[in-house]
Amino acid sequence: MSLDITIPYISSVQSKFLINFKEVNYEDISSIPIVDVSIVLVESKNEILPLKDLISIGRLIRDYLINNQVVLYYYCDTSSDNIEISERNKELEPQEFRHKLFNSLYKLFDNKDIVKDEIIIEDPTNNTHFISLITKTSDKTNLTNVSIAVQQMNDK
Amino acid sequence: MSNKTLHINNPSESLLTFVRALKENKDRTKKELIEKKELYFKN
């Protein structure tokens, strides 16, 4: 069964999102598939995402993870397009805001069966890269393997 | 439960190349989804 899937979601304020799961080829890093998750605002109503929609999107991601043995990674897009940043977070870079938002999603999972690691890489010419990795607790070793692989890449 | 954060302040060129490729992939995925959005919201 393909791990690639795109789920449309219309928020309570009629903003349209696509939640996209796409397997990436990093077999040398993890013994289970690594899947990129993207949450893309494709049509905005210029309103901040209400909490109930954040919960619904979080559930979609959690359900995907529960139904598939994978490591999900969320790379935070650096673009200031297609994003509604709340007033109290205006000082944050778009990718940092997305990172914060994904952490909020994770907290909403309320699920002890899912674990998360984060990788933050300072890029002198391209802002900061924020990556979140989540998987089932039973597959936690794979998160550690990804972090080790990144560290080894940095040692080269 | 959050486990740990790996924070790299002085990344190697090798790591930067890798992570910039992630950024490009993300940009490409986003562009493709926006272009195809009508497919997913048909009534």
Side-chain angles (χ1 to χ4, degrees):
Chain A
M1 195 182 85
S2 172
L3 292 167
D4 295 1
I5 184 172
T6 303
I7 303 171
Y9 180 81
I10 301 177
S11 76
S12 54
V13 294
Q14 299 301 303
S15 289
K16 294 179 178 174
F17 292 83
L18 288 173
I19 296 102
N20 183 69
F21 299 91
K22 185 163 75 176
E23 185 177 1
V24 290
N25 186 18
Y26 294 125
E27 289 165 1
D28 49 339
I29 293 179
S30 167
S31 60
I32 62 174
I34 298 180
V35 173
D36 169 48
V37 58
S38 299
I39 306 163
V40 181
L41 175 62
V42 294
E43 197 173 302
S44 174
K45 294 296 177 188
N46 299 317
E47 292 198 38
I48 303 302
L49 189 66
L51 179 62
K52 62 180 177 181
D53 292 306
L54 201 59
I55 292 170
S56 298
I57 291 173
R59 280 189 185 138
L60 291 172
I61 295 170
R62 184 197 60 195
D63 290 350
Y64 179 92
L65 195 54
I66 295 298
N67 292 320
N68 296 283
Q69 190 182 19
V70 299
V71 169
L72 273 184
Y73 87 86
Y74 178 68
Y75 174 87
C76 300
D77 176 12
T78 57
S79 166
S80 57
D81 298 334
N82 308 95
I83 189 170
E84 297 297 336
I85 300 181
S86 56
E87 202 55 45
R88 67 190 164 120
N89 289 305
K90 285 285 184 201
E91 78 284 1
L92 300 179
E93 293 289 333
Q95 68 271 28
E96 191 174 3
F97 176 71
R98 288 184 173 98
H99 179 68
K100 191 174 173 184
L101 203 57
F102 192 81
N103 281 342
S104 300
L105 275 178
Y106 174 76
K107 285 175 189 162
L108 290 169
F109 289 171
D110 190 26
N111 190 333
K112 283 180 267 192
D113 297 332
I114 296 176
V115 288
K116 175 170 72 68
D117 275 1
E118 296 171 0
I119 300 173
I120 300 172
I121 300 170
E122 304 294 341
D123 186 332
T125 61
N126 213 349
N127 299 318
T128 306
H129 302 273
F130 291 89
I131 302 165
S132 295
L133 300 142
I134 56 174
T135 196
K136 290 180 200 147
T137 305
S138 53
D139 295 319
K140 187 178 169 182
T141 309
N142 289 282
L143 285 195
T144 307
N145 290 345
V146 173
S147 290
I148 290 170
V150 168
Q151 189 66 64
Q152 285 174 340
M153 218 179 289
N154 194 45
D155 293 339
K156 282 182 184 170
Chain B
M1 187 180 85
S2 181
N3 294 326
K4 55 187 179 295
T5 299
L6 173 61
H7 196 144
I8 298 176
N9 287 306
N10 294 301
S12 66
E13 275 306 313
S14 170
L15 182 57
L16 283 175
T17 301
F18 173 77
V19 79
R20 286 170 184 164
L22 291 184
K23 173 178 161 39
E24 285 170 15
N25 286 340
K26 179 66 74 175
D27 291 345
R28 192 163 39 244
T29 299
K30 186 175 162 184
K31 185 169 178 280
E32 286 170 4
L33 288 170
I34 290 172
E35 283 173 0
K36 293 185 196 165
K37 67 176 183 181
E38 298 304 334
L39 290 175
Y40 297 100
F41 293 102
K42 284 179 181 169
N43 290 325

